[in-house]
Structure formats: structure tokens, C-alpha cells
Amino acid sequence: MPTHLVEATTRQTYTHVVERYLLPEFGGMRMDRVLPCHVREFVWRLCARGVSAHVVHRCRAVLSAIFTTALRDQVIAQHPCAGVRGPVAPSKPMRVLEPGELDRLLAVLPGECWRLLVELAVESGVRWGELVELRAGDLDAGSCLLTVARAVEEVKPRFHPSGGRFLVKLYPKEREYRRLLLRRVVVENVLSYVEQAGLGPDDLLFPFPDSPPVVALRAVEAGVIPDGHGTLTGYSGQGCRCGHCRAAYARYRAGRRAQGKDAPRGRRRVDTDGHLPRRWYLRNIWKPALAAAGITRRVRMHDLRHAHASWLVAGGADIQTVRERLGHSSLRATEKYLHTLAESDHAALDAFERVRHGRAGAGED
């Protein structure tokens, strides 16, 4: 459906699902011949192949969207996905980033630019695409208001109108501008950084750097390597890209080149128009910094948005204000970003302990 209007990233995701999962199964069938039993068998086969429940649900969602459009266009008379359920996809409990962990993370980030990027992300709660599209002129120094008016999407060239990699949208997600009030100290840090970097009003706040920075791994210097890290298995088998595992893989490749088994490759070129690529940032800045800060669990950049919402509620902000700052269209979406902090759990246990012992004492009398 090339005329179906969707965002570029959505079209990219849909195309991947269609080409990898849906076409091999339904490509040879007419749409009006697809029945609920066929969809149910398709879901069962995916589960039998060991495909994760989240991927199965995505396949069913894309297939359902296709047939919904076909039903509205009167191509089919009934929806074959109606009543077909997917497997249970349990959601793992999330542990929100604590303020102390953020302080350790900021301390090991290499350079003011990267510290400011993380600090601004958690202070404002903006999405990644909104964060890396911020311009120096989006911040009003007098009112301390940050205007979120654009977002950038990183897509494959085939999904870009002109074959590029970064597609700037003149509106953020939910298609509504947001004006976020920031603390004065954060605004002063941003203004100082803008002045030192010589940025103009239309320049990106966080562009791709000319010379990549290096994160100093404190754990390596101290001789402490977390369990499961610093091995080829961690790098290749588990996909870990922390400093320990990358160093182990680098030593392995250097040894093979010294033996003449591998030819040295040329320097990799980052395809960018000045915007900060997400994958490059995660691999070269974010994950090494997490390892250096001693944060061993998986923490995404998007988790800073969760931390922003959770910290606001823990500090007494109402959920409607949180919804507006996050740019959600409904409170139901905002509720997914609210998590309890560790100190809240301890406070709850203390309250329970006081009541329990009080009742026990009264019963004994």
C-alpha cells in the first residue's frame, strides 16, 4: 500500500515485518481468501519457531493494520485477524535510574557536550529524536523555556525522500509543540556551552563530533572486570559493547592481524549530515559510560525519559503536568512511565512495619 500515509520510521518497520514474515506466508494468497484459521496457524508457526512473543505481536499488528485498510477500502468483506490472539508477552519490571546513579554516570562522561546531553535529556524528558534536533535558538534564556518544535528520524536511504539517512520533521511526536520550563542552573549550563562552542541560533546543540571522544574506564584501571565481561563470548555471543568486551575483541583481532590471518580494515565512515547517529552514540559514549560508572544492568537512553516522569511524581508533581511535559495525548500512555523509586519502597516497608508492630502490640495486651 504505497499510498498509505505513515511516518517514515513506521513504514520502515512495517516493510521489514512484511518482507521477512508476512510475504513468505501470505504472499501467494488473495486477500479475500485469507481466513482467521490461516492467521491462527501463522501465529502458531511463529511460536513453534521460537520467535519471541513481542515479535509475534508485532507481526499480528502489522497484518491486522493491512487488513483493516483493506476492509475500509471494501477489498475484503471480513477481517481475518478478528478474534485471533497472540502469545502472552509478559512485561519485565523496570528499575528506574536513581539520582545517585545519574551522578556517577555524569562524572564519567567524556566532555561537557555529552554530560549536557544526558543532563538535558533527564531534565526535560524529551525523546531522542527531539533531543538531537534541538537548536541553540530553541532555548529562551529569559524565561528558561525550551521549545520542542521538531524531531529527526534516522531511516534507511530507501525510506528517505531524497535517499538520505536523517529526516527532519517540522513537528514532534503527537504533532504538538511543547514548551518546557527548565531549572535556571541547567539553562546557564546550556548557555555557557553554546558560547564556548560558538553555536548560532540555527546550529544543532549536539552535532556529530569531528574527533570522537574516549571514555576512561575506571574499572579497567582498577583491575576490576564485572563477571561475564572482558571476553570474546561477551562481545560476540552476548552482543555486549562495554569497554571490557570491546578491549578483549580488539586484542583478539590485533593478534590475528599480527599473525597475518586478517587484513587491517580501513577506518569506518559514519554516514551523517551532522546529526548524532543513535547507534554511534550508544556504542561509543553511552554504553562505555555505563560500564565506567559501574551500572551493570541494561539502561537505555529512553530510560532517562522514564526517570524524568518518575522523579516528577516522586517530588509531588501531578500526573497531568507530567503528561504535558512528556507530550502524551492520554494519561494512559503517561502511566507507563511512572515507576517507584528505591526510597519509596523503603518508605512503604517502614510504614507497613510501624502498623504491623502497632497492631501486634495491641493484640498482645
Side-chain angles (χ1 to χ4, degrees):
M1 293 177 290
T3 59
H4 198 58
L5 298 179
V6 293
E7 299 287 355
T9 51
T10 303
R11 183 176 296 277
Q12 178 174 278
T13 301
Y14 277 25
T15 302
H16 169 74
V17 172
V18 168
E19 293 178 348
R20 181 169 182 178
Y21 297 102
L22 302 186
L23 282 181
E25 182 75 21
F26 302 102
M29 301 178 63
R30 288 170 52 93
M31 296 189 74
D32 57 356
R33 298 295 179 87
V34 179
L35 301 176
C37 62
H38 298 136
V39 179
R40 194 174 295 109
E41 291 175 0
F42 168 64
V43 171
W44 180 86
R45 276 193 287 270
L46 289 179
C47 296
R49 285 166 45 189
V51 178
S52 68
H54 293 283
V55 174
V56 175
H57 277 281
R58 177 173 295 180
C59 292
R60 185 197 171 282
V62 174
L63 186 65
S64 179
I66 293 174
F67 280 109
T68 297
T69 302
L71 185 63
R72 291 173 179 172
D73 292 344
Q74 300 182 2
V75 176
I76 57 176
Q78 64 175 356
H79 202 306
C81 295
V84 178
R85 295 184 177 181
V88 177
S91 58
K92 298 181 180 179
M94 178 183 175
R95 177 184 167 188
V96 69
L97 195 69
E98 298 287 340
E101 293 176 320
L102 178 65
D103 292 337
R104 299 205 313 268
L105 183 62
L106 292 174
V108 299
L109 284 168
E112 182 63 23
C113 172
W114 308 115
R115 285 191 290 270
L116 187 61
L117 183 146
V118 172
E119 187 177 9
L120 190 58
V122 75
E123 288 276 349
S124 63
V126 296
R127 304 173 179 89
W128 171 262
E130 299 166 345
L131 178 65
V132 297
E133 176 52 26
L134 288 176
R135 312 274 171 163
D138 291 331
L139 180 62
D140 186 350
S143 61
C144 295
L145 288 175
L146 177 68
T147 301
V148 182
R150 299 169 310 279
V152 63
E153 295 179 340
E154 190 172 354
V155 297
K156 295 180 179 179
R158 62 182 288 201
F159 299 101
H160 194 285
S162 59
R165 288 296 304 272
F166 294 88
L167 180 62
V168 178
K169 302 187 301 182
L170 300 180
Y171 53 87
K173 195 172 182 179
E174 306 297 345
R175 295 174 174 79
E176 290 185 3
Y177 287 15
R178 304 199 307 280
R179 304 191 73 189
L180 307 175
L181 183 64
L182 302 179
R183 294 185 301 150
R184 171 57 63 178
V185 62
V186 177
V187 174
E188 292 177 352
N189 290 339
V190 174
L191 295 178
S192 175
Y193 161 74
V194 169
E195 183 179 358
Q196 293 178 5
L199 301 179
D202 296 329
D203 292 335
L204 292 171
L205 272 180
F206 308 109
F208 183 73
D210 296 330
S211 56
V214 178
V215 177
L217 292 177
R218 295 183 176 181
V220 174
E221 296 174 358
V224 178
I225 300 179
D227 292 340
H229 294 270
T231 63
L232 294 180
T233 302
Y235 184 93
S236 301
Q238 301 176 3
C240 179
R241 294 299 183 267
C242 72
H244 305 289
C245 293
R246 292 179 64 187
Y249 188 73
R251 290 192 295 268
Y252 166 74
R253 291 299 304 273
R256 287 185 60 87
R257 286 193 292 268
Q259 299 173 11
K261 296 181 179 180
D262 289 335
R265 61 172 174 82
R267 184 177 180 84
R268 292 182 179 176
R269 177 178 175 272
V270 179
D271 185 10
T272 177
D273 61 355
H275 285 91
L276 189 63
R278 181 198 295 263
R279 179 176 294 183
W280 180 92
Y281 172 79
L282 295 179
R283 178 175 298 177
N284 295 276
I285 304 297
W286 181 250
K287 291 183 179 180
L290 289 175
I295 303 175
T296 57
R297 73 178 188 280
R298 180 174 179 262
V299 179
R300 308 166 301 169
M301 268 296 294
H302 194 71
D303 292 343
L304 297 180
R305 187 167 159 86
H306 286 257
H308 175 77
S310 301
W311 294 2
L312 284 177
V313 173
D318 62 274
I319 190 172
Q320 180 65 24
T321 301
V322 178
R323 183 194 71 81
E324 293 176 356
R325 289 184 67 89
L326 294 182
H328 289 154
S329 58
S330 66
L331 290 175
R332 186 174 183 180
T334 305
E335 290 174 353
K336 298 179 181 180
Y337 285 76
L338 306 181
H339 313 277
T340 57
L341 304 181
E343 60 182 18
S344 300
D345 290 335
H346 291 303
L349 287 179
D350 291 341
F352 178 83
E353 189 72 13
R354 288 195 300 270
V355 173
R356 181 181 183 279
H357 280 291
R359 290 179 178 175
E364 292 174 356
D365 292 341

